[in-house]
Amino acid sequence: MTLSAYAAPRCGSREALASMYADLGGQKHSDPGTFRSRLAWWTGTIAAACWDRVLPHALCWPVDADTPTQWADADIGRPLCLSVVIREQEIHGRYVRLSAYLDRTWTSWWSRRWRWRSGRNDDDDEALWSHVQGEWVLCENVERAARIATARDWSALERIMSRADAKAYLASLQDGARPLALSDKDTDILLTHLVRDARAIQHDGDVYKWGTARVTEQDRGILAVKGLHAQLERQVDAWQARMERAQATVRRALRAKEREAVTLSYLRTQKQLESMVDKRVLALEKVHTLLLSMDQAVGDAQLMQAYTASEKTLRSLLADPSLQPDHIDRTMDALAEAVHDQNVVTDALSSVPDDELADELAQLELDTLPSPPATQPEATSPEKTSLSMKTTHDTQKQAVPA
């Protein structure tokens, strides 16, 4: 796959790709928003091309005079902004020259960067190009690979290894189900980052130890035994292969009916090889058992260290003056007295005189009695009404004086 074919789907259209390939000169100040957008697109595209191994390395990008041609598109042509992209990413610390990155004093690259930038048009792609050629470490990809490398849980013995073993492990990293297939240069970069920047590995000489604990003499001994185990494995494999070849030679001699002396010589060599393989296998088993014992011993030592730390912490907590028996007794007595006083106050506030309770009870009993039925007025006939009115009139008449 060509680099332009890899970049095109990340734009969405040919017009957008042509815009990304256009010159960035002057746009940083005239249109900073578009400048940042295009810069972010190129940064992500280059990082992805390296990570997916469309480019030679996963963690670094080799840049030379032919790089723009490698990204050229048949219709659009070469990108006119790569040197500006590299310059900007170096300014922000996302790209670092490989030689400076692997140098233990690489932090001085900031001052070197400002020196080589002086006296130049920073927006001219052609003017910058001679200054950006070289191998650039992509810090984004390095940190991404470091997260994968440190995700593994190591046993006590697995975390101790030589530099060659560490690089072999890094070369075997996988991004999900896809092998990263880091190059030798990639593993050097990643190992440098894990030791110096991430502090995920401690090392002393050729002893590399995953974690934050420093390298000890016990670690050196463990690495020596692990080295012996690996050496015996290689010897067993080699002697096994030689023994199988000797067996094949004996069978071939028998089928060819060669002289008995020759066949016996082949058979004698076969038996010697079988004996050597048996001895190496026995030695390998012993060393393997020794490694298991050492692994268990390291685990037990770590467990006892945890117990010791827990005991010291517990005793430190128990030494607090507030946890002393006398203080506890005084506190509990004072608490009981306070609770008693609170109960007395509560009882005093909630007590009611008996006569008030009797009056309230009588009122409740009255409220619960059924109400008497309402009386209906007696019906009055017309005759009675007339007689009543007449009697009233006569009474009023007698009351008037003559």
Side-chain angles (χ1 to χ4, degrees):
M1 176 185 293
T2 63
L3 290 173
S4 61
Y6 181 84
R10 299 177 64 89
C11 279
S13 67
R14 299 292 297 174
E15 293 78 8
L17 183 64
S19 174
M20 293 300 173
Y21 271 50
D23 188 9
L24 275 172
Q27 199 172 54
K28 181 177 182 180
H29 304 290
S30 62
D31 190 356
T34 302
F35 180 84
R36 288 193 297 269
S37 176
R38 291 178 61 187
L39 185 66
W41 183 86
W42 271 110
T43 303
T45 300
I46 294 170
C50 289
W51 189 262
D52 294 336
R53 298 307 299 273
V54 181
L55 289 167
H57 307 286
L59 308 184
C60 69
W61 179 30
V63 176
D64 55 27
D66 191 46
T67 297
T69 304
Q70 296 171 359
W71 288 89
D73 182 84
D75 300 324
I76 301 172
R78 301 185 308 164
L80 303 177
C81 53
L82 289 182
S83 64
V84 178
V85 171
I86 297 171
R87 186 278 315 270
E88 287 294 323
Q89 297 303 353
E90 186 194 13
I91 290 175
H92 293 93
R94 301 186 184 100
Y95 288 0
V96 181
R97 288 190 180 275
L98 178 62
S99 57
Y101 193 91
L102 296 179
D103 186 359
R104 294 192 177 276
T105 60
W106 75 286
T107 51
S108 62
W109 72 274
W110 285 95
S111 59
R112 294 197 298 271
R113 182 200 70 199
W114 288 113
R115 283 200 298 270
W116 76 256
R117 287 187 62 229
S118 60
R120 242 188 6 266
N121 183 357
D122 290 341
D123 296 329
D124 189 344
D125 183 72
E126 292 298 329
L128 286 173
W129 196 250
S130 61
H131 300 278
V132 300
Q133 295 185 38
E135 294 180 295
W136 294 93
V137 175
L138 278 60
C139 296
E140 175 186 351
N141 285 12
V142 175
E143 293 169 357
R144 183 177 177 183
R147 288 192 293 270
I148 297 175
T150 55
R152 175 174 173 176
D153 292 329
W154 300 93
S155 69
L157 262 65
E158 287 176 338
R159 68 178 63 251
I160 302 170
M161 58 184 64
S162 65
R163 179 180 177 85
D165 294 335
K167 291 189 63 175
Y169 164 69
L170 297 178
S172 67
L173 292 178
Q174 291 189 327
D175 182 17
R178 182 183 70 86
L180 284 182
L182 298 181
S183 66
D184 186 66
K185 190 172 297 183
D186 289 332
T187 56
D188 283 335
I189 295 170
L190 183 54
L191 187 58
T192 299
H193 172 77
L194 291 170
V195 172
R196 183 189 61 202
D197 305 324
R199 302 297 177 89
I201 301 178
Q202 310 301 316
H203 91 99
D204 184 3
D206 193 50
V207 182
Y208 286 72
K209 183 178 181 180
W210 289 81
T212 58
R214 64 182 182 84
V215 176
T216 64
E217 288 301 321
Q218 290 82 358
D219 298 331
R220 295 183 181 279
I222 291 173
L223 182 60
V225 177
K226 290 181 66 175
L228 177 60
H229 185 271
Q231 180 181 357
L232 288 173
E233 284 185 327
R234 292 192 297 269
Q235 288 180 356
V236 168
D237 292 339
W239 289 114
Q240 182 73 30
R242 291 185 61 182
M243 183 186 69
E244 292 173 355
R245 289 196 297 270
Q247 291 173 344
T249 301
V250 171
R251 289 193 296 269
R252 186 171 58 254
L254 290 174
R255 286 194 300 269
K257 297 182 179 180
E258 295 185 5
R259 290 184 301 125
E260 182 178 353
V262 175
T263 304
L264 288 176
S265 175
Y266 292 155
L267 183 59
R268 190 177 298 109
T269 301
Q270 173 189 330
K271 293 300 182 181
Q272 290 175 349
L273 291 172
E274 289 177 353
S275 176
M276 295 182 66
V277 169
D278 292 341
K279 292 178 180 178
R280 286 295 184 271
V281 169
L282 181 60
L284 181 61
E285 291 177 352
K286 290 181 179 179
V287 174
H288 183 69
T289 302
L290 179 59
L291 281 175
L292 292 178
S293 301
M294 295 172 70
D295 197 2
Q296 181 179 356
V298 172
D300 292 343
Q302 293 175 346
L303 185 60
M304 289 306 301
Q305 291 174 1
Y307 286 159
T308 301
S310 300
E311 183 267 339
K312 290 181 179 179
T313 302
L314 181 59
R315 288 191 179 278
S316 176
L317 292 173
L318 293 176
D320 192 301
S322 62
L323 297 180
Q324 300 308 308
D326 293 342
H327 184 270
I328 294 174
D329 292 341
R330 290 193 301 270
T331 302
M332 297 306 296
D333 292 342
L335 180 61
E337 184 177 352
V339 171
H340 173 72
D341 294 343
Q342 176 64 28
N343 291 335
V344 171
V345 173
T346 303
D347 294 342
L349 293 176
S350 61
S351 62
V352 181
D354 293 342
D355 54 350
E356 293 184 9
L357 292 176
D359 294 342
E360 185 176 354
L361 179 60
Q363 183 63 40
L364 291 173
E365 290 176 350
L366 290 176
D367 293 342
T368 57
L369 291 177
S371 302
T375 57
Q376 299 292 332
E378 184 179 358
T380 305
S381 62
E383 294 79 4
K384 290 183 178 181
T385 302
S386 176
L387 179 58
S388 175
M389 292 176 63
K390 182 177 184 301
T391 302
T392 303
H393 176 72
D394 293 342
T395 301
Q396 293 176 349
K397 185 176 180 181
Q398 291 175 2
V400 176

